[in-house]
Amino acid sequence: MLNSTLGESYQNSLALEQEWPDYGIGDPYVMRYNGLYYLYCSTKDFRVGIKAWSSSDLIHWKYEGLATEEPLTEGAYAPEVVYWNGYFYMYTSPAGKGHYVLRSESPTGPFTIQTENLGLSIDGSVFIDDDGKWYFTHASGKGIIGHEMPDPYTMAEEKTLDAYLGHWTEGSMIIKRDGKYFMTYTGNHVFSKGYRINYAVATDSPIGTYKVPENNPIVISTKQDFNGLGHSSSVIGPNLDSYYMFYHNLIGHSKEGPPVRMLNMDRIVFNGEKMVVLGDGTHFPQPVPRMPDFYDGVNKPLDQKLWDVRDNVNEAKWLSNKAADKNRFTAEFNFRMNWENIRVGEASFETVFSYTDDNNYYSVGIDPALRSIALIEMKDGNRKQLATSQLPQAMDFTKLHTIRVESNARGTNIYFDQMNKLTLTDFHAKPGKIGYAYRHIKPTLEYTAFSNEADGSSDYETAKPVPGSIEAVHYLGEKDQGFHVGHPVKGSVMREEDGVPIQTSEDGSNDVTMAGKGDWLAFRINVESDGTYGFDAMMKEDGNENVVELQVDGKPQRFELGHMSQSEGNPWVKKHIGNMQLTQGEHILKLKLVKGKLNYRYLDIYRISELPDEKLSNMFNKILPEDMYGKWMKKEDGYAVQTEGSDAKMYAGSDEWTDYRVEVDLKSTADSIEEAGLLFRITNESEFPEQVRDSFMGYQLTFRNGRMILKKMNYDQNEVDSAPISFANGSIVHIAVDVSGATMKVYLNDSKQPALEWTDANAWMHGKIGIRSASPSWLFTNLSLVRR
């Protein structure tokens, strides 16, 4: 951990004791069980066994030794472990030659082989739904494959899911939150800089219809000192409300040649159907995960000093000495029961919450005979059952089980193990203590905790990394500290008690409307380094001349937003607000409405470098050899590729360049079916022999005889507009592209009218320039750039 303005902090990449030598931590998988976290990773080729580590806070990890030494686990790929009804099931594909299932009664093993080789490629992952049904997903060259599982050892027929990265796609995992299935997955070659993490969302089934949101990829970096980010797992954080993603990056080379892999962790936040990994993968100090407001029993018996214990011969009650003090909380109870020699109806076991006194509290009771749980209200001494739900018939209550209660103004969810068994929209949180009440039974009470957070409320307070994206709805929590609205509204889809107008947007996320002069929202940010930063907002056009003020630690700067260009009737468009100087560390950012109206989804903040006022000519002379890919030949003060059908690229400039005019002269010396391209606003470029052909993000203006086509590039290509163009054999066409905010205009020769004009509603707003070609018949000369 590091000292910074954040207090306690950590920085990627993380180093663990006893990592595989000359290999590191690859394909990390983290599971949570009984208040502790367990980490597993791939095994170095030709080594046997699977290593395990444990942690209580996701920062300090203890090596637990080999969880298995089965000879079949030589070079075990991507082991994942799930807990169910007393057993831990491990899924791994040794050396990538098909899956085996191992089982243990401990998360640290020993795990023993339970099946023959099941095949099914690599990177198997299990998800258990609220109804207790199991699902298995794994890698393939046509996208992630899903299966229903009749039991932990059997996979039914396969289904190809809508989770594909145009190349080998692997590293899948599913989590369920607020009734939505979020699948993360990884693509490009594992050793390419462009290895990255995407996500997709389904609402019908874990192997149902997935849609891919537009904010993908959610983790990517191809920087020299931090690249190859991928193969993730996601887990709920120590405060019982946050989520964190673990993944690896690449560094250096092992003795065998491939790079070494290192462990990383970043915060995940949610907004409706949108998942965001803060910072898209960070490489500077971040706040350590927060612990619960109260917890006990981490790998030890409950400490009676922390509890009010009332125990007699036949019944007992344990109540925490600290109480949840807000109208929201998450509580977790872990326990084992011994029901031997107890007649039906004689014994009872309940987990207690919102306790004020013996006559006023709520509880979740378990009936092992009926295999059910019930929500119970004790009000003024009167006991009432509010709701009940069935549990799987095979539950063994002598094994460890978990009850989890999440409650806030939106309602209450009650989980048994990882299954959501009760959802009550008319039952809301009340402050109070937590505890246990039981009769004619001697249970083992294990990890128990509560946090004054629920339904992602801790997403509001966490410091948002800059560069990065900040959801509008994630403003700070306290009135007049995190938000101010002159005329509060009712009926917001989230955070209704704040009075801030929040509604569901067309993309499934939630947006905010600021309509009153002087209304403002505040956010905690964590800035990577001193510099100039650009601020963009995804806004809804209203036709007005709106004015906003950005404040950093109370220092204001005013910006006139002006009229926005729309994209093919889409009312939403990314708008550049302006630039501000920021200093490294933690700050409070405030967005205030001065005039008009502002309806927006999120802010993008990124570092920029100002171009000089003078034109930058002869850009080809400024391109470094390491930024040239493929076989180029220099001729006539320009460049052409050497081989027909090849794919060569070169890049110039900085990721931090924003608005500019890029110009080039392009000559066609012979007919060719191959294309040429002018590249602009390029970031996260990657070159590797085995990866997606279009491994970069930005725009490509593509030329072929008779047509030019504008393509948006995001490790694939999407044709967005086109126009005719004529290349007479041997003639030169002068091409200029103006990029300003979300709008790009293409000019040919000396024309004052654009031959092509397009506004991207979700524009890439900064990046390098470059060229691309697949034929020696295309000759590029006079590449230049001027600031706009």
Side-chain angles (χ1 to χ4, degrees):
M1 292 193 294
L2 310 169
N3 291 320
S4 72
T5 57
L6 302 169
E8 289 184 320
S9 62
Y10 73 94
Q11 180 172 325
N12 291 325
S13 301
L14 308 175
L16 305 188
E17 59 175 339
Q18 297 294 318
E19 293 181 6
W20 287 108
D22 200 36
Y23 187 73
I25 302 289
D27 311 321
Y29 179 81
V30 177
M31 70 161 291
R32 184 172 178 271
Y33 169 77
N34 201 15
L36 286 177
Y37 296 91
Y38 295 89
L39 166 66
Y40 312 87
C41 67
S42 286
T43 301
K44 185 176 174 66
D45 292 341
F46 312 117
R47 306 294 194 274
V48 172
I50 293 172
K51 293 191 171 192
W53 292 260
S54 67
S55 174
S56 61
D57 59 8
L58 296 179
I59 296 295
H60 302 91
W61 291 92
K62 174 188 175 185
Y63 180 56
E64 296 285 358
L66 292 174
T68 182
E69 297 185 66
E70 288 272 15
L72 274 173
T73 59
E74 179 180 324
Y77 284 8
E80 296 199 5
V81 177
V82 295
Y83 173 77
W84 180 258
N85 204 26
Y87 292 103
F88 297 85
Y89 297 89
M90 176 182 284
Y91 299 79
T92 186
S93 52
K97 298 178 180 178
H99 282 88
Y100 293 86
V101 185
L102 296 81
R103 193 181 76 174
S104 173
E105 294 186 20
S106 165
T108 57
F111 284 85
T112 56
I113 298 284
Q114 302 293 308
T115 66
E116 300 295 325
N117 192 329
L118 302 176
L120 304 178
S121 183
I122 64 171
D123 291 0
S125 183
V126 167
F127 172 77
I128 303 172
D129 209 349
D130 296 334
D131 56 5
K133 290 183 179 179
W134 290 42
Y135 298 85
F136 188 76
T137 59
H138 61 82
S140 87
K142 56 185 179 181
I144 298 299
I145 304 295
H147 306 255
E148 292 187 10
M149 298 176 67
D151 59 63
Y153 307 117
T154 308
M155 288 68 176
E157 62 182 85
E158 72 174 45
K159 177 182 179 182
T160 303
L161 306 180
D162 302 315
Y164 180 52
L165 290 174
H167 197 268
W168 183 259
T169 306
E170 59 190 14
S172 60
M173 183 184 178
I174 299 171
I175 61 174
K176 190 174 187 180
R177 187 181 183 281
D178 198 21
K180 304 170 185 69
Y181 305 94
F182 292 85
M183 176 189 287
T184 50
Y185 49 99
T186 290
N188 251 6
H189 194 280
V190 65
F191 296 146
S192 78
K193 289 183 177 181
Y195 203 49
R196 67 204 187 282
I197 302 169
N198 266 42
Y199 81 106
V201 185
T203 56
D204 54 348
S205 164
I207 56 171
T209 303
Y210 279 88
K211 67 176 184 179
V212 181
E214 65 180 7
N215 66 311
N216 277 300
I218 52 172
V219 173
I220 187 169
S221 172
T222 63
K223 295 177 181 177
Q224 190 61 35
D225 60 344
F226 195 56
N227 60 65
L229 316 183
H231 197 118
S232 69
S233 64
S234 303
V235 67
I236 200 161
N239 74 344
L240 312 178
D241 179 69
S242 58
Y243 278 83
Y244 286 85
M245 178 178 283
F246 286 81
Y247 57 92
H248 69 244
N249 72 292
L250 306 177
I251 188 170
H253 294 279
S254 63
K255 292 179 181 178
E256 292 82 6
V260 172
R261 295 181 282 185
M262 300 187 71
L263 179 67
N264 302 272
M265 174 183 77
D266 276 306
R267 178 72 182 266
I268 306 172
V269 296
F270 296 88
N271 176 14
E273 294 182 4
K274 188 176 184 181
M275 170 192 276
V276 177
V277 176
L278 295 181
D280 297 341
T282 66
H283 199 41
F284 64 101
Q286 302 300 318
V288 300
R290 290 191 175 185
M291 301 300 289
D293 292 287
F294 171 89
Y295 61 98
D296 191 20
V298 181
N299 219 21
K300 65 178 180 62
L302 298 186
D303 183 352
Q304 294 198 22
K305 295 178 182 178
L306 300 178
W307 298 86
D308 170 17
V309 180
R310 285 176 273 162
D311 199 354
N312 58 37
V313 176
N314 293 319
E315 57 185 319
K317 186 173 286 186
W318 290 59
L319 297 167
S320 59
N321 64 8
K322 187 174 182 180
D325 57 11
K326 294 183 179 179
N327 288 321
R328 67 174 186 238
F329 68 86
T330 302
E332 183 177 302
F333 310 86
N334 289 268
F335 52 88
R336 307 170 195 263
M337 295 187 287
N338 179 6
W339 294 92
E340 294 179 4
N341 303 318
I342 298 296
R343 289 175 294 186
V344 174
E346 185 177 67
S348 66
F349 178 85
E350 298 173 22
T351 58
V352 175
F353 58 95
S354 296
Y355 174 93
T356 54
D357 56 50
D358 283 352
N359 291 318
N360 294 278
Y361 62 86
Y362 295 95
S363 66
V364 177
I366 293 180
D367 188 327
L370 296 177
R371 293 293 193 268
S372 66
I373 62 172
L375 174 62
I376 298 162
E377 178 187 56
M378 179 70 79
K379 185 175 182 180
D380 297 329
N382 297 312
R383 184 179 175 88
K384 180 181 179 181
Q385 183 170 295
L386 301 180
T388 186
S389 179
Q390 290 300 119
L391 299 175
Q393 290 298 304
M395 283 291 117
D396 180 353
F397 292 98
T398 66
K399 307 300 184 182
L400 185 129
H401 294 286
T402 305
I403 287 176
R404 176 185 177 87
V405 181
E406 300 173 352
S407 192
N408 70 349
R410 286 212 305 162
T412 298
N413 293 306
I414 297 173
Y415 298 80
F416 183 85
D417 292 345
Q418 68 270 42
M419 300 174 289
N420 186 348
K421 287 300 179 183
L422 289 170
T423 296
L424 301 98
T425 57
D426 57 350
F427 179 82
H428 308 290
K430 293 180 176 63
K433 297 182 178 182
I434 66 169
Y436 298 87
Y438 50 90
R439 181 169 57 91
H440 291 295
I441 183 178
K442 290 294 184 183
T444 302
L445 307 179
E446 303 202 20
Y447 179 78
T448 312
F450 75 75
S451 175
N452 286 298
E453 306 286 357
D455 196 29
S457 62
S458 63
D459 293 351
Y460 314 153
E461 302 297 326
T462 193
K464 311 304 188 296
V466 172
S469 180
I470 304 175
E471 297 297 303
V473 297
H474 288 165
Y475 56 86
L476 293 168
E478 296 299 325
K479 182 180 179 182
D480 295 326
Q481 293 182 11
F483 62 96
H484 170 80
V485 286
H487 299 283
V489 301
K490 294 183 178 180
S492 290
V493 298
M494 65 179 289
R495 308 187 69 168
E496 184 175 359
E497 63 277 15
D498 294 350
V500 176
I502 300 175
Q503 48 279 322
T504 300
S505 198
E506 292 87 339
D507 68 346
S509 69
N510 300 307
D511 61 78
V512 172
T513 300
M514 300 171 67
K517 180 180 178 181
D519 289 356
W520 54 263
L521 304 175
F523 308 86
R524 181 172 286 109
I525 61 173
N526 173 25
V527 179
E528 179 176 17
S529 58
D530 297 356
T532 304
Y533 288 82
F535 289 74
D536 300 336
M538 179 59 79
M539 300 168 53
K540 200 167 193 177
E541 170 65 284
D542 63 4
N544 294 320
E545 300 290 322
N546 301 310
V547 179
V548 299
E549 185 176 273
L550 290 175
Q551 296 181 15
V552 178
D553 298 335
K555 298 177 182 178
Q557 194 169 330
R558 188 166 292 191
F559 300 94
E560 296 183 6
L561 300 184
H563 181 71
M564 298 183 292
S565 299
Q566 290 183 242
S567 174
E568 298 179 355
N570 186 347
W572 291 94
V573 67
K574 191 177 290 183
K575 172 71 176 178
H576 183 59
I577 297 176
N579 303 329
M580 291 187 74
Q581 294 292 319
L582 299 177
T583 56
Q584 182 181 31
E586 186 173 303
H587 306 276
I588 299 298
L589 169 69
K590 185 181 289 186
L591 176 60
K592 182 178 180 180
L593 183 64
V594 177
K595 177 185 175 183
K597 179 180 176 182
L598 179 62
N599 183 194
Y600 84 107
R601 292 176 179 166
Y602 60 88
L603 291 175
D604 274 343
I605 310 175
Y606 48 92
R607 185 166 176 139
I608 68 169
S609 295
E610 294 286 358
L611 283 160
D613 291 331
E614 67 273 11
K615 185 175 183 177
L616 298 178
S617 302
N618 302 316
M619 288 297 294
F620 284 132
N621 296 333
K622 298 177 175 62
I623 295 177
L624 301 174
E626 57 264 31
D627 291 325
M628 301 177 69
Y629 303 94
K631 295 182 179 180
W632 290 96
M633 53 185 177
K634 194 173 188 310
K635 52 190 290 189
E636 300 180 38
D637 297 322
Y639 283 90
V641 299
Q642 294 182 16
T643 308
E644 185 78 13
S646 64
D647 183 18
K649 311 179 193 75
M650 65 173 73
Y651 306 99
S654 167
D655 286 354
E656 299 175 359
W657 287 351
T658 54
D659 292 349
Y660 47 70
R661 179 184 179 98
V662 57
E663 301 181 14
V664 73
D665 290 331
L666 182 59
K667 177 194 270 188
S668 174
T669 59
D671 289 338
S672 172
I673 61 171
E674 301 293 348
E675 299 176 339
L678 177 62
L679 310 178
F680 51 97
R681 284 192 175 163
I682 301 300
T683 61
N684 288 308
E685 65 275 13
S686 171
E687 293 293 327
F688 193 78
E690 301 173 52
Q691 66 171 13
V692 174
R693 180 180 174 92
D694 300 309
S695 287
F696 59 93
M697 299 158 72
Y699 300 97
Q700 176 174 306
L701 185 61
T702 301
F703 305 99
R704 61 173 72 128
N705 285 325
R707 202 110 191 121
M708 61 177 174
I709 303 165
L710 181 60
K711 301 177 181 180
K712 185 174 184 179
M713 315 296 288
N714 188 8
Y715 279 70
D716 58 10
Q717 54 177 275
N718 179 26
E719 296 185 5
V720 296
D721 205 352
S722 65
I725 189 171
S726 177
F727 284 98
N729 196 356
S731 65
I732 295 174
V733 176
H734 182 75
I735 299 152
V737 180
D738 270 347
V739 281
S740 179
T743 300
M744 47 214 77
K745 300 177 182 180
V746 179
Y747 299 88
L748 302 180
N749 297 320
D750 296 323
S751 174
K752 302 299 183 183
Q753 294 297 318
L756 186 153
E757 179 176 352
W758 186 67
T759 297
D760 185 357
N762 186 23
W764 307 122
M765 298 292 268
H766 57 95
K768 303 178 177 72
I769 62 170
I771 60 171
R772 184 180 190 182
S773 182
S775 171
S777 64
W778 297 105
L779 174 64
F780 293 88
T781 58
N782 300 320
L783 181 65
S784 64
L785 192 76
V786 63
R787 175 181 175 182
R788 303 303 291 170

